[in-house]
Amino acid sequence: MSTSTDTIDLAVIGGTGLYALAELENPEAHQPPTHYGALSGPVRVGTFAGRRIAFLARHGEGHSVPPHKINYRANLAALKSLGATRVLALNTVGGITERFGPRVLACPDQLIDYTWGRISTLCEESGTEVLHVDFGEPYTRSLRAEVVAAASRAGVALVDGGCYGATQGPRLETRAEITRMRRDGCDLVGMTGMPEAGLARELGLDYACLAIVANWAAGAGPDPDEVITLQDVLDNVAAASAGLPALLRALLDG
Ligand code: HPA
Protein backbone atom coordinates (compact mmCIF):
# COMPACT_ATOMS: atom_id res chain seq x y z
CA MET A 1 0.00 0.00 0.00
CA SER A 2 1.48 3.36 -1.00
CA THR A 3 1.84 6.11 1.52
CA SER A 4 2.72 9.73 0.99
CA THR A 5 6.33 8.91 1.85
CA ASP A 6 6.77 6.66 -1.21
CA THR A 7 8.18 8.49 -4.19
CA ILE A 8 6.51 8.60 -7.53
CA ASP A 9 8.97 9.58 -10.24
CA LEU A 10 6.29 10.88 -12.56
CA ALA A 11 2.51 11.13 -12.62
CA VAL A 12 0.91 10.98 -16.05
CA ILE A 13 -2.63 12.20 -16.67
CA GLY A 14 -4.15 10.77 -19.84
CA GLY A 15 -6.71 12.63 -21.95
CA THR A 16 -9.19 11.66 -24.64
CA GLY A 17 -8.09 8.43 -26.32
CA LEU A 18 -5.48 7.69 -23.64
CA TYR A 19 -7.11 5.75 -20.85
CA ALA A 20 -4.27 3.45 -19.78
CA LEU A 21 -0.54 3.03 -19.99
CA ALA A 22 -0.08 -0.47 -21.39
CA GLU A 23 3.60 -0.54 -20.43
CA LEU A 24 2.93 -0.10 -16.70
CA GLU A 25 4.18 -3.22 -14.87
CA ASN A 26 2.53 -4.59 -11.72
CA PRO A 27 0.01 -1.76 -11.49
CA GLU A 28 -1.84 -1.23 -8.22
CA ALA A 29 -5.05 0.79 -8.10
CA HIS A 30 -5.35 3.62 -5.60
CA GLN A 31 -8.27 5.91 -5.00
CA PRO A 32 -7.26 7.99 -2.00
CA PRO A 33 -9.82 10.22 -0.30
CA THR A 34 -9.21 13.93 -0.87
CA HIS A 35 -10.46 17.21 0.64
CA TYR A 36 -12.15 17.86 -2.69
CA GLY A 37 -14.17 14.71 -3.24
CA ALA A 38 -13.86 11.87 -5.70
CA LEU A 39 -11.32 11.65 -8.50
CA SER A 40 -12.02 10.61 -12.07
CA GLY A 41 -11.13 6.98 -11.35
CA PRO A 42 -8.34 4.84 -9.99
CA VAL A 43 -4.73 5.99 -10.06
CA ARG A 44 -2.69 3.09 -11.41
CA VAL A 45 0.73 3.03 -9.77
CA GLY A 46 3.34 0.70 -11.21
CA THR A 47 6.78 0.38 -12.71
CA PHE A 48 7.84 1.73 -16.05
CA ALA A 49 11.47 1.87 -17.22
CA GLY A 50 12.45 0.78 -13.71
CA ARG A 51 10.75 3.82 -12.15
CA ARG A 52 7.61 4.16 -10.09
CA ILE A 53 4.99 6.01 -12.03
CA ALA A 54 1.32 6.83 -11.61
CA PHE A 55 -1.29 7.02 -14.34
CA LEU A 56 -4.73 8.60 -14.10
CA ALA A 57 -7.32 8.78 -16.90
CA ARG A 58 -8.65 12.34 -16.65
CA HIS A 59 -12.04 11.51 -18.14
CA GLY A 60 -12.29 8.18 -16.29
CA GLU A 61 -11.21 4.89 -17.79
CA GLY A 62 -14.50 4.63 -19.69
CA HIS A 63 -14.40 8.28 -20.89
CA SER A 64 -17.48 9.15 -18.85
CA VAL A 65 -16.46 12.47 -17.27
CA PRO A 66 -16.82 15.52 -19.56
CA PRO A 67 -14.22 18.31 -19.36
CA HIS A 68 -16.36 20.73 -17.32
CA LYS A 69 -17.28 18.02 -14.78
CA ILE A 70 -13.78 16.75 -14.08
CA ASN A 71 -12.81 17.14 -10.45
CA TYR A 72 -9.41 18.61 -11.29
CA ARG A 73 -8.70 19.45 -7.66
CA ALA A 74 -9.34 15.91 -6.45
CA ASN A 75 -7.28 14.38 -9.27
CA LEU A 76 -4.21 16.49 -8.54
CA ALA A 77 -4.56 16.30 -4.76
CA ALA A 78 -4.75 12.50 -5.01
CA LEU A 79 -1.60 12.32 -7.13
CA LYS A 80 0.19 14.54 -4.63
CA SER A 81 -1.00 12.48 -1.67
CA LEU A 82 0.39 9.36 -3.36
CA GLY A 83 3.82 11.01 -3.49
CA ALA A 84 3.91 12.64 -6.93
CA THR A 85 5.83 15.90 -7.29
CA ARG A 86 5.78 16.21 -11.06
CA VAL A 87 2.94 15.73 -13.48
CA LEU A 88 3.00 15.23 -17.22
CA ALA A 89 -0.43 16.11 -18.58
CA LEU A 90 -1.36 14.49 -21.89
CA ASN A 91 -3.97 16.66 -23.59
CA THR A 92 -5.76 15.86 -26.82
CA VAL A 93 -6.17 19.10 -28.75
CA GLY A 94 -7.13 20.71 -32.03
CA GLY A 95 -4.47 22.55 -34.04
CA ILE A 96 -5.01 26.18 -34.98
CA THR A 97 -1.77 27.41 -36.54
CA GLU A 98 0.35 25.97 -39.30
CA ARG A 99 2.91 24.02 -37.25
CA PHE A 100 0.23 22.17 -35.28
CA GLY A 101 -1.51 19.86 -37.75
CA PRO A 102 -3.10 16.50 -36.90
CA ARG A 103 -0.75 13.93 -35.30
CA VAL A 104 1.75 16.54 -34.13
CA LEU A 105 3.06 16.31 -30.57
CA ALA A 106 3.73 19.64 -28.86
CA CYS A 107 4.92 20.90 -25.52
CA PRO A 108 3.23 24.31 -25.18
CA ASP A 109 4.79 27.08 -23.12
CA GLN A 110 1.82 29.40 -22.72
CA LEU A 111 -1.92 29.21 -22.27
CA ILE A 112 -5.07 31.30 -22.33
CA ASP A 113 -8.06 30.27 -20.25
CA TYR A 114 -11.50 30.63 -21.87
CA THR A 115 -13.25 28.23 -19.50
CA TRP A 116 -15.97 29.38 -17.12
CA GLY A 117 -17.86 28.06 -14.13
CA ARG A 118 -15.20 25.55 -13.13
CA ILE A 119 -13.75 25.45 -9.65
CA SER A 120 -10.35 26.82 -10.53
CA THR A 121 -8.61 27.32 -7.21
CA LEU A 122 -7.88 25.62 -3.91
CA CYS A 123 -9.11 28.85 -2.24
CA GLU A 124 -12.75 28.25 -3.11
CA GLU A 125 -14.00 27.43 0.37
CA SER A 126 -14.33 30.30 2.81
CA GLY A 127 -11.70 30.19 5.52
CA THR A 128 -8.97 28.83 3.23
CA GLU A 129 -5.86 30.93 2.84
CA VAL A 130 -5.98 33.04 -0.33
CA LEU A 131 -3.18 32.17 -2.76
CA HIS A 132 -1.99 34.41 -5.59
CA VAL A 133 0.51 32.10 -7.24
CA ASP A 134 2.76 33.39 -9.99
CA PHE A 135 1.50 32.03 -13.30
CA GLY A 136 3.39 34.13 -15.85
CA GLU A 137 4.98 30.93 -17.04
CA PRO A 138 2.15 28.41 -16.61
CA TYR A 139 4.18 25.26 -17.21
CA THR A 140 7.23 24.34 -15.13
CA ARG A 141 10.26 25.45 -17.11
CA SER A 142 12.57 22.64 -15.96
CA LEU A 143 10.04 19.86 -16.62
CA ARG A 144 9.24 21.30 -20.06
CA ALA A 145 12.95 21.35 -20.88
CA GLU A 146 13.25 17.71 -19.77
CA VAL A 147 10.30 16.67 -21.96
CA VAL A 148 11.75 18.45 -24.99
CA ALA A 149 15.20 16.92 -24.42
CA ALA A 150 13.69 13.46 -23.87
CA ALA A 151 11.78 13.67 -27.16
CA SER A 152 14.95 14.60 -28.95
CA ARG A 153 16.92 11.72 -27.37
CA ALA A 154 14.10 9.30 -28.21
CA GLY A 155 13.90 10.54 -31.82
CA VAL A 156 10.26 11.56 -31.35
CA ALA A 157 9.25 14.69 -33.27
CA LEU A 158 7.89 17.34 -30.90
CA VAL A 159 7.14 21.03 -31.35
CA ASP A 160 8.76 23.00 -28.54
CA GLY A 161 6.38 25.79 -27.51
CA GLY A 162 2.99 27.12 -28.51
CA CYS A 163 0.03 28.64 -26.78
CA TYR A 164 -2.77 26.36 -25.53
CA GLY A 165 -6.27 27.88 -25.44
CA ALA A 166 -8.55 26.11 -22.94
CA THR A 167 -12.22 26.15 -23.95
CA GLN A 168 -15.27 25.05 -22.02
CA GLY A 169 -16.59 22.24 -24.23
CA PRO A 170 -17.85 19.66 -24.42
CA ARG A 171 -18.95 20.95 -27.82
CA LEU A 172 -16.22 21.84 -30.28
CA GLU A 173 -15.71 25.47 -31.25
CA THR A 174 -17.29 27.56 -33.99
CA ARG A 175 -15.07 28.77 -36.82
CA ALA A 176 -15.47 32.32 -35.50
CA GLU A 177 -14.29 31.23 -32.05
CA ILE A 178 -11.19 29.64 -33.58
CA THR A 179 -10.55 32.78 -35.67
CA ARG A 180 -10.70 34.81 -32.47
CA MET A 181 -8.41 32.39 -30.67
CA ARG A 182 -5.89 32.59 -33.51
CA ARG A 183 -6.00 36.39 -33.24
CA ASP A 184 -5.43 36.05 -29.50
CA GLY A 185 -2.28 34.05 -30.15
CA CYS A 186 -3.48 30.50 -29.54
CA ASP A 187 -1.85 27.66 -31.49
CA LEU A 188 -3.77 24.81 -29.89
CA VAL A 189 -7.25 24.36 -28.49
CA GLY A 190 -8.36 21.87 -25.88
CA MET A 191 -10.92 21.58 -23.10
CA THR A 192 -8.92 20.31 -20.14
CA GLY A 193 -5.76 22.42 -19.88
CA MET A 194 -7.41 24.63 -17.28
CA PRO A 195 -7.94 24.77 -14.39
CA GLU A 196 -5.57 21.80 -14.18
CA ALA A 197 -2.36 23.77 -14.80
CA GLY A 198 -3.31 26.53 -12.35
CA LEU A 199 -4.26 24.07 -9.64
CA ALA A 200 -0.98 22.20 -10.10
CA ARG A 201 0.83 25.48 -9.45
CA GLU A 202 -1.26 26.12 -6.34
CA LEU A 203 -0.43 22.62 -5.12
CA GLY A 204 3.28 23.16 -5.74
CA LEU A 205 3.48 20.39 -8.34
CA ASP A 206 5.82 20.58 -11.32
CA TYR A 207 3.57 20.38 -14.35
CA ALA A 208 4.05 20.23 -18.12
CA CYS A 209 1.64 19.55 -20.97
CA LEU A 210 2.25 17.15 -23.82
CA ALA A 211 -0.38 18.09 -26.36
CA ILE A 212 -1.46 15.54 -28.96
CA VAL A 213 -3.05 17.17 -31.99
CA ALA A 214 -6.05 15.13 -33.07
CA ASN A 215 -7.59 17.41 -35.72
CA TRP A 216 -7.48 20.82 -37.27
CA ALA A 217 -9.61 23.12 -35.15
CA ALA A 218 -12.83 24.35 -36.77
CA GLY A 219 -12.01 26.10 -40.05
CA ALA A 220 -8.25 25.95 -39.45
CA GLY A 221 -7.35 23.17 -41.90
CA PRO A 222 -7.13 23.05 -45.69
CA ASP A 223 -10.84 22.18 -45.92
CA PRO A 224 -12.69 24.85 -43.92
CA ASP A 225 -15.93 22.86 -44.11
CA GLU A 226 -14.40 19.69 -42.65
CA VAL A 227 -16.57 18.05 -40.00
CA ILE A 228 -14.57 16.78 -37.01
CA THR A 229 -15.57 13.27 -35.96
CA LEU A 230 -14.70 11.43 -32.77
CA GLN A 231 -13.34 8.56 -34.88
CA ASP A 232 -10.84 10.90 -36.60
CA VAL A 233 -9.83 12.24 -33.21
CA LEU A 234 -9.26 8.76 -31.80
CA ASP A 235 -7.42 7.50 -34.90
CA ASN A 236 -5.08 10.48 -34.88
CA VAL A 237 -4.43 10.24 -31.14
CA ALA A 238 -3.58 6.55 -31.53
CA ALA A 239 -1.17 7.30 -34.40
CA ALA A 240 0.43 10.30 -32.70
CA SER A 241 0.88 8.38 -29.45
CA ALA A 242 3.06 5.69 -31.02
CA GLY A 243 6.20 7.49 -29.84
CA LEU A 244 4.94 8.13 -26.32
CA PRO A 245 6.47 5.08 -24.59
CA ALA A 246 9.91 5.90 -26.01
CA LEU A 247 9.54 9.54 -24.99
CA LEU A 248 8.47 8.58 -21.46
CA ARG A 249 11.31 6.09 -21.15
CA ALA A 250 13.81 8.77 -22.18
CA LEU A 251 12.23 11.22 -19.73
CA LEU A 252 12.51 8.73 -16.88
CA ASP A 253 16.08 7.79 -17.83
CA GLY A 254 17.15 11.42 -18.14
N1 HPA B 1 -11.27 21.69 -29.85
C1 HPA B 1 -11.25 21.51 -28.50
N2 HPA B 1 -10.81 20.40 -27.94
C2 HPA B 1 -10.34 19.43 -28.73
C3 HPA B 1 -10.34 19.55 -30.13
C4 HPA B 1 -10.81 20.75 -30.71
O1 HPA B 1 -10.83 20.93 -31.93
N3 HPA B 1 -9.82 18.40 -30.62
C5 HPA B 1 -9.51 17.61 -29.55
N4 HPA B 1 -9.84 18.24 -28.41
Side-chain angles (χ1 to χ4, degrees):
M1 179 75 189
S2 282
T3 69
S4 56
T5 53
D6 292 326
T7 310
I8 286 183
D9 287 297
L10 183 71
V12 178
I13 302 180
T16 298
L18 292 163
Y19 309 117
L21 206 56
E23 296 76 13
L24 205 59
E25 293 161 27
N26 304 317
E28 285 175 11
H30 297 268
Q31 222 152 333
T34 78
H35 284 312
Y36 308 108
L39 33 162
S40 297
V43 180
R44 308 271 174 197
V45 179
T47 308
F48 180 89
R51 306 295 177 96
R52 205 156 166 268
I53 87 160
F55 181 88
L56 173 62
R58 187 187 283 114
H59 297 278
E61 291 178 345
H63 196 101
S64 55
V65 191
H68 63 295
K69 295 278 192 191
I70 291 168
N71 191 341
Y72 296 94
R73 298 197 301 178
N75 287 352
L76 290 169
L79 294 174
K80 184 170 175 170
S81 79
L82 290 169
T85 58
R86 50 185 201 153
V87 175
L88 181 64
L90 308 181
N91 294 90
T92 299
V93 298
I96 298 177
T97 53
E98 210 177 308
R99 288 193 305 158
F100 300 89
R103 304 192 177 189
V104 163
L105 294 180
C107 192
D109 58 357
Q110 275 298 325
L111 67 77
I112 298 179
D113 188 5
Y114 300 90
T115 67
W116 49 269
R118 302 182 182 187
I119 298 178
S120 57
T121 174
L122 303 179
C123 323
E124 187 67 20
E125 292 77 15
S126 59
T128 41
E129 185 199 350
V130 178
L131 304 168
H132 294 291
V133 292
D134 183 273
F135 203 49
E137 185 149 346
Y139 303 109
T140 306
R141 188 191 291 257
S142 53
L143 184 55
R144 272 199 74 253
E146 284 180 53
V147 171
V148 170
S152 158
R153 279 199 307 280
V156 175
L158 176 82
V159 178
D160 176 4
C163 180
Y164 178 116
T167 55
Q168 180 69 358
R171 67 163 176 81
L172 296 165
E173 299 71 34
T174 65
R175 290 198 290 261
E177 285 168 336
I178 294 299
T179 301
R180 179 180 77 148
M181 291 179 76
R182 185 199 298 270
R183 259 193 328 262
D184 285 353
C186 295
D187 299 295
L188 302 164
V189 54
M191 301 173 190
T192 53
M194 283 296 280
E196 198 173 86
L199 290 165
R201 182 63 51 84
E202 287 189 347
L203 282 162
L205 293 165
D206 286 344
Y207 182 94
C209 165
L210 183 60
I212 301 163
V213 184
N215 54 276
W216 284 114
D223 172 9
D225 291 326
E226 185 187 5
V227 173
I228 302 163
T229 68
L230 183 60
Q231 197 53 51
D232 289 344
V233 167
L234 296 178
D235 290 349
N236 285 331
V237 170
S241 305
L244 260 184
L247 194 160
L248 284 178
R249 199 172 296 276
L251 181 62
L252 292 164
D253 284 347

